[in-house]
Amino acid sequence: MKALTPTLEAAQRARHRAAYVEARVTDRYQGARRLVWQNLYTGAEVAGYHGLAFDNLGYMHRVRGQGNYLYRQRVVGPGPGSPFSSWTLVATNLDGPCAIAAYGPRIYIFWVTDDNEIVKYYSHNNGTSWTAGVLSTYTDVRHLAACWWGSTSTVICFALRDNAINAIRLDTDTQGTNEHTHSFTPPSPTVLAQTFGIGATYEDDGPSCQLLLAGRQVDTPYHHLNVYRTWFSGAWIFGPLDSLARTPEGEDVLFSYPEVHLPSSPAAYEPTRALFVEDFAGVAPFSRPLACHLVPGTAWSDSTVTESAPFLDITTPYGLRMQTTADYWWITTPSLVYRAPRVMPAALVLAGDIASIAVNRPGSLIIELDNSKGQYENPGTAGLAALRLRSEVELYLGYRVRGVPGVQHEEIAVGTWWIDSWHYHHAPNITRFTLTCTDGWGLLQAWTPRYQLRWNDVPGAPYTVAHILARILARVGVHLDPAPPQPRSSAIDNFYPDFTVLPGQKGDTAVRRLLATVPDRLFFTDAGRAQTKDPRPAEAPAYEFSRWAHPVLSGRYGHQSITTRVRALGRDPATDTRILWDEADWDALADGVDDLAQVYDPNLTTALQAEDRALAMARLAELRADPALITVPPNVGQELYDVVTVIDPVCSVDRAYRVLSDRIDYAGLTRVRLFDRHPQYDHTLTLGAP
């Protein structure tokens, strides 16, 4: 249960209560500020390798290749009308990729020459004067990326071959270098035969460079094309490759030219963003950029990245380069320049206009607003800019309080929902604007993977149920809190199933299938987060509903027959021996009630795993044994799967229950409810055995 202040808890227990409800809408999608791109330039430059950087004065520096020619550009104060078509020739020996990075007044350009070496071209005075030199004799480089190592004097050039990578650390004070190579050939767990691009950005956490690369992986039973996440750490070593997008070879799909960027001083709503190109060469071919981002609050090493999706109707054969300045995100190609504001617009606070609210957990949030003045006529514009489909809605519930100087009400965040639809309606003396919002389960139901997702398909793979769950939730932008103050089962952290989500399968179906392997339950809370909880029978009650504590307005209590025997089946692959484990309710079996539930799972390879599965199945059945439904004044700190005490002498009830779902209804005083003395403010809890 959420912690409440003594004042708020006293207010919700009081005999005379006054409701307070508020909703805050932010233009945040999947946890991140939703970017609105403005096109500043569309030119006629030929597509080719290119790069983008900004120095400490905000000057834009771009580089591009065209045949054997390398060009650079410096734009002072970039914006509408800037001379983005003006380029300066740098070299005529280009024979491959190029890259650029900047920090302070220093700008470094790298490219592969026709002598099969990597050269540098740098300025220490914001691009006023330049010096050339050889960076490395590392050969056969197909792709380059560069980023600065924080606020140091070091810039790193990442040189990618088809089956290896080299991180070339350049000290810009001394021009000395150190090189760190890593191979993608056997015995590497990921064997690459060809690569299609790389992007790099620096993060303070570690510290490290976050890397995104595209490649063709040699695998069994088929090869596949991937976009991989990895990193280069402060110990100067590379992390393992982890696939963020994958498609089988032979499907006419290619992923290429990835880019990744994290601002140097990111706001909480500014995670690492990633881009890459999806090319389709079949019937009705296309080439388009896709975008995704790291779920805020998670780490790059977690691979908790949202589903990649198209975001601009443009063609980018060599991908997009991405950077940030103090005020804007920027993306470019040789012939295109776009920017999007970084600052998050102020939240739209809905309070005084709320006519009614219906909250279902799990499920929907419906907010009915008074629109008698036409104040909600133009969603998505001006003061309603945050009011867009899938914008985040944070709901706050509480009570008006007395006796606290300067405080008229206290409230608490009870959850996050996302706008799914809205509609207008009117009747005599009533004009309404209604928002219908979905929770995390609704987001999962609307999501399907674009390509197959699979974990633990090779021996020794490291993904537990918790790891897989976090990655699936990330696809819809939800952060699975890794360390909530909730009990966790051993299975969720120690079971490594071979788990596949097929294209077209609904996300909620996949999550329920995964959760069926453990006793832990999933619920969605505030700030776009989710938590899991192992509903252990010995859990102590967190709250009491009774005449003396928090009144029960109505109640219904029952007992019902449930599954009386469960069976988990598996197979030991070493001996090809069948595994079977039963858990039974012997009292029910003695009465002749044998309702059997059984499951076969090839992931159950030991008797202990089969026992854990059978216990989880029996526990979930047990929760349904004692159904109850009570209505109370809202307990705004209530969370799903809490254990509560209910004392209702009228029905001879004095026992613990577990909260399985709930509904909160609020209806303010309106012209059609003037006969009511008070606004409706009720909380209906669906309960089960503790």
mmCIF file of all heavy atoms in Angstrom, residues 10-19 399-400 550-551 553 632-634 678-679 681:
data_model
loop_
_atom_site.group_PDB
_atom_site.id
_atom_site.type_symbol
_atom_site.label_atom_id
_atom_site.label_comp_id
_atom_site.label_asym_id
_atom_site.label_seq_id
_atom_site.Cartn_x
_atom_site.Cartn_y
_atom_site.Cartn_z
ATOM 1 N N ALA A 10 -6.172 10.451 7.963
ATOM 2 C CA ALA A 10 -7.263 10.865 8.856
ATOM 3 C C ALA A 10 -8.451 11.373 8.050
ATOM 4 O O ALA A 10 -9.615 11.119 8.395
ATOM 5 C CB ALA A 10 -6.766 11.936 9.824
ATOM 6 N N ALA A 11 -8.183 12.088 6.949
ATOM 7 C CA ALA A 11 -9.266 12.638 6.138
ATOM 8 C C ALA A 11 -10.098 11.543 5.495
ATOM 9 O O ALA A 11 -11.327 11.653 5.402
ATOM 10 C CB ALA A 11 -8.686 13.564 5.072
ATOM 11 N N GLN A 12 -9.455 10.455 5.023
ATOM 12 C CA GLN A 12 -10.228 9.407 4.359
ATOM 13 C C GLN A 12 -10.946 8.493 5.349
ATOM 14 O O GLN A 12 -11.872 7.776 4.983
ATOM 15 C CB GLN A 12 -9.345 8.589 3.415
ATOM 16 C CG GLN A 12 -8.361 7.657 4.057
ATOM 17 C CD GLN A 12 -7.584 6.836 3.029
ATOM 18 O OE1 GLN A 12 -7.522 7.171 1.851
ATOM 19 N NE2 GLN A 12 -6.986 5.749 3.465
ATOM 20 N N ARG A 13 -10.531 8.529 6.611
ATOM 21 C CA ARG A 13 -11.215 7.752 7.643
ATOM 22 C C ARG A 13 -12.333 8.545 8.324
ATOM 23 O O ARG A 13 -13.156 7.982 9.050
ATOM 24 C CB ARG A 13 -10.221 7.306 8.714
ATOM 25 C CG ARG A 13 -9.179 6.280 8.265
ATOM 26 C CD ARG A 13 -8.208 5.991 9.399
ATOM 27 N NE ARG A 13 -7.150 5.083 9.053
ATOM 28 C CZ ARG A 13 -7.209 3.748 9.184
ATOM 29 N NH1 ARG A 13 -8.315 3.194 9.657
ATOM 30 N NH2 ARG A 13 -6.187 2.996 8.856
ATOM 31 N N ALA A 14 -12.357 9.874 8.114
ATOM 32 C CA ALA A 14 -13.279 10.739 8.853
ATOM 33 C C ALA A 14 -14.734 10.458 8.480
ATOM 34 O O ALA A 14 -15.044 9.969 7.394
ATOM 35 C CB ALA A 14 -12.941 12.201 8.587
ATOM 36 N N ARG A 15 -15.626 10.796 9.400
ATOM 37 C CA ARG A 15 -17.054 10.595 9.150
ATOM 38 C C ARG A 15 -17.553 11.521 8.053
ATOM 39 O O ARG A 15 -18.365 11.137 7.220
ATOM 40 C CB ARG A 15 -17.831 10.820 10.445
ATOM 41 C CG ARG A 15 -19.319 10.600 10.297
ATOM 42 C CD ARG A 15 -20.025 10.770 11.622
ATOM 43 N NE ARG A 15 -21.458 10.554 11.484
ATOM 44 C CZ ARG A 15 -22.338 10.692 12.470
ATOM 45 N NH1 ARG A 15 -21.904 11.046 13.693
ATOM 46 N NH2 ARG A 15 -23.624 10.482 12.260
ATOM 47 N N HIS A 16 -17.083 12.753 8.051
ATOM 48 C CA HIS A 16 -17.461 13.721 7.027
ATOM 49 C C HIS A 16 -16.254 13.950 6.123
ATOM 50 O O HIS A 16 -15.218 14.444 6.573
ATOM 51 C CB HIS A 16 -17.925 15.024 7.669
ATOM 52 C CG HIS A 16 -19.109 14.860 8.577
ATOM 53 N ND1 HIS A 16 -20.370 14.569 8.104
ATOM 54 C CD2 HIS A 16 -19.210 14.927 9.938
ATOM 55 C CE1 HIS A 16 -21.201 14.469 9.115
ATOM 56 N NE2 HIS A 16 -20.525 14.683 10.249
ATOM 57 N N ARG A 17 -16.426 13.586 4.865
ATOM 58 C CA ARG A 17 -15.308 13.615 3.925
ATOM 59 C C ARG A 17 -15.667 14.468 2.723
ATOM 60 O O ARG A 17 -16.821 14.482 2.286
ATOM 61 C CB ARG A 17 -14.953 12.196 3.448
ATOM 62 C CG ARG A 17 -14.549 11.242 4.558
ATOM 63 C CD ARG A 17 -14.457 9.809 4.056
ATOM 64 N NE ARG A 17 -15.760 9.304 3.632
ATOM 65 C CZ ARG A 17 -16.642 8.750 4.453
ATOM 66 N NH1 ARG A 17 -16.354 8.620 5.742
ATOM 67 N NH2 ARG A 17 -17.805 8.324 4.000
ATOM 68 N N ALA A 18 -14.664 15.153 2.164
ATOM 69 C CA ALA A 18 -14.853 15.933 0.944
ATOM 70 C C ALA A 18 -13.796 15.505 -0.067
ATOM 71 O O ALA A 18 -12.593 15.565 0.209
ATOM 72 C CB ALA A 18 -14.746 17.429 1.225
ATOM 73 N N ALA A 19 -14.243 15.077 -1.243
ATOM 74 C CA ALA A 19 -13.343 14.504 -2.246
ATOM 75 C C ALA A 19 -12.502 15.579 -2.914
ATOM 76 O O ALA A 19 -12.912 16.732 -3.060
ATOM 77 C CB ALA A 19 -14.152 13.762 -3.297
ATOM 78 N N TYR A 399 -8.391 14.006 -0.586
ATOM 79 C CA TYR A 399 -9.482 14.610 0.168
ATOM 80 C C TYR A 399 -9.116 16.039 0.529
ATOM 81 O O TYR A 399 -7.926 16.393 0.634
ATOM 82 C CB TYR A 399 -9.757 13.822 1.453
ATOM 83 C CG TYR A 399 -10.343 12.456 1.218
ATOM 84 C CD1 TYR A 399 -9.523 11.349 0.982
ATOM 85 C CD2 TYR A 399 -11.715 12.264 1.226
ATOM 86 C CE1 TYR A 399 -10.062 10.096 0.772
ATOM 87 C CE2 TYR A 399 -12.265 11.010 1.019
ATOM 88 C CZ TYR A 399 -11.441 9.927 0.788
ATOM 89 O OH TYR A 399 -11.974 8.682 0.570
ATOM 90 N N ARG A 400 -10.141 16.835 0.739
ATOM 91 C CA ARG A 400 -9.933 18.167 1.302
ATOM 92 C C ARG A 400 -9.676 18.011 2.791
ATOM 93 O O ARG A 400 -10.274 17.155 3.449
ATOM 94 C CB ARG A 400 -11.138 19.066 1.013
ATOM 95 C CG ARG A 400 -11.363 19.240 -0.482
ATOM 96 C CD ARG A 400 -12.354 20.320 -0.833
ATOM 97 N NE ARG A 400 -12.511 20.422 -2.290
ATOM 98 C CZ ARG A 400 -11.700 21.109 -3.074
ATOM 99 N NH1 ARG A 400 -10.685 21.785 -2.544
ATOM 100 N NH2 ARG A 400 -11.891 21.144 -4.387
ATOM 101 N N HIS A 550 -12.124 2.228 8.891
ATOM 102 C CA HIS A 550 -12.490 2.785 7.580
ATOM 103 C C HIS A 550 -13.776 2.075 7.189
ATOM 104 O O HIS A 550 -13.763 0.874 6.904
ATOM 105 C CB HIS A 550 -11.378 2.502 6.567
ATOM 106 C CG HIS A 550 -11.505 3.232 5.273
ATOM 107 N ND1 HIS A 550 -10.520 4.036 4.768
ATOM 108 C CD2 HIS A 550 -12.524 3.278 4.357
ATOM 109 C CE1 HIS A 550 -10.895 4.542 3.600
ATOM 110 N NE2 HIS A 550 -12.115 4.084 3.334
ATOM 111 N N PRO A 551 -14.917 2.772 7.193
ATOM 112 C CA PRO A 551 -16.214 2.093 7.136
ATOM 113 C C PRO A 551 -16.436 1.296 5.855
ATOM 114 O O PRO A 551 -16.013 1.693 4.768
ATOM 115 C CB PRO A 551 -17.223 3.238 7.256
ATOM 116 C CG PRO A 551 -16.474 4.457 6.828
ATOM 117 C CD PRO A 551 -15.061 4.240 7.254
ATOM 118 N N LEU A 553 -19.271 0.312 3.418
ATOM 119 C CA LEU A 553 -20.607 0.776 3.065
ATOM 120 C C LEU A 553 -21.505 -0.379 2.634
ATOM 121 O O LEU A 553 -22.709 -0.364 2.894
ATOM 122 C CB LEU A 553 -20.521 1.821 1.950
ATOM 123 C CG LEU A 553 -19.613 3.033 2.237
ATOM 124 C CD1 LEU A 553 -19.588 3.971 1.040
ATOM 125 C CD2 LEU A 553 -20.068 3.765 3.494
ATOM 126 N N VAL A 632 -16.395 0.978 -0.177
ATOM 127 C CA VAL A 632 -15.910 1.796 0.932
ATOM 128 C C VAL A 632 -15.654 3.210 0.410
ATOM 129 O O VAL A 632 -15.572 3.427 -0.801
ATOM 130 C CB VAL A 632 -14.601 1.214 1.520
ATOM 131 C CG1 VAL A 632 -14.811 -0.190 2.056
ATOM 132 C CG2 VAL A 632 -13.490 1.213 0.463
ATOM 133 N N PRO A 633 -15.524 4.199 1.292
ATOM 134 C CA PRO A 633 -14.966 5.476 0.842
ATOM 135 C C PRO A 633 -13.556 5.231 0.327
ATOM 136 O O PRO A 633 -12.820 4.399 0.886
ATOM 137 C CB PRO A 633 -14.968 6.333 2.114
ATOM 138 C CG PRO A 633 -15.951 5.674 3.019
ATOM 139 C CD PRO A 633 -15.889 4.220 2.719
ATOM 140 N N PRO A 634 -13.137 5.902 -0.747
ATOM 141 C CA PRO A 634 -11.851 5.558 -1.363
ATOM 142 C C PRO A 634 -10.672 5.576 -0.402
ATOM 143 O O PRO A 634 -10.458 6.547 0.336
ATOM 144 C CB PRO A 634 -11.693 6.626 -2.448
ATOM 145 C CG PRO A 634 -13.090 6.954 -2.836
ATOM 146 C CD PRO A 634 -13.873 6.913 -1.544
ATOM 147 N N HIS A 678 -24.219 15.069 -1.494
ATOM 148 C CA HIS A 678 -22.766 15.068 -1.637
ATOM 149 C C HIS A 678 -22.383 14.456 -2.983
ATOM 150 O O HIS A 678 -23.113 13.634 -3.534
ATOM 151 C CB HIS A 678 -22.102 14.267 -0.510
ATOM 152 C CG HIS A 678 -22.441 14.751 0.864
ATOM 153 N ND1 HIS A 678 -21.961 15.934 1.367
ATOM 154 C CD2 HIS A 678 -23.219 14.201 1.830
ATOM 155 C CE1 HIS A 678 -22.415 16.104 2.598
ATOM 156 N NE2 HIS A 678 -23.185 15.067 2.904
ATOM 157 N N PRO A 679 -21.233 14.831 -3.517
ATOM 158 C CA PRO A 679 -20.728 14.130 -4.696
ATOM 159 C C PRO A 679 -20.511 12.649 -4.386
ATOM 160 O O PRO A 679 -20.202 12.274 -3.253
ATOM 161 C CB PRO A 679 -19.397 14.831 -4.985
ATOM 162 C CG PRO A 679 -19.478 16.133 -4.277
ATOM 163 C CD PRO A 679 -20.335 15.904 -3.068
ATOM 164 N N TYR A 681 -18.390 9.403 -4.275
ATOM 165 C CA TYR A 681 -16.956 9.116 -4.186
ATOM 166 C C TYR A 681 -16.838 7.756 -3.524
ATOM 167 O O TYR A 681 -16.783 7.645 -2.297
ATOM 168 C CB TYR A 681 -16.263 10.203 -3.368
ATOM 169 C CG TYR A 681 -14.756 10.295 -3.541
ATOM 170 C CD1 TYR A 681 -14.122 10.011 -4.739
ATOM 171 C CD2 TYR A 681 -13.953 10.710 -2.467
ATOM 172 C CE1 TYR A 681 -12.755 10.128 -4.887
ATOM 173 C CE2 TYR A 681 -12.581 10.832 -2.593
ATOM 174 C CZ TYR A 681 -11.978 10.542 -3.810
ATOM 175 O OH TYR A 681 -10.612 10.671 -3.940
#
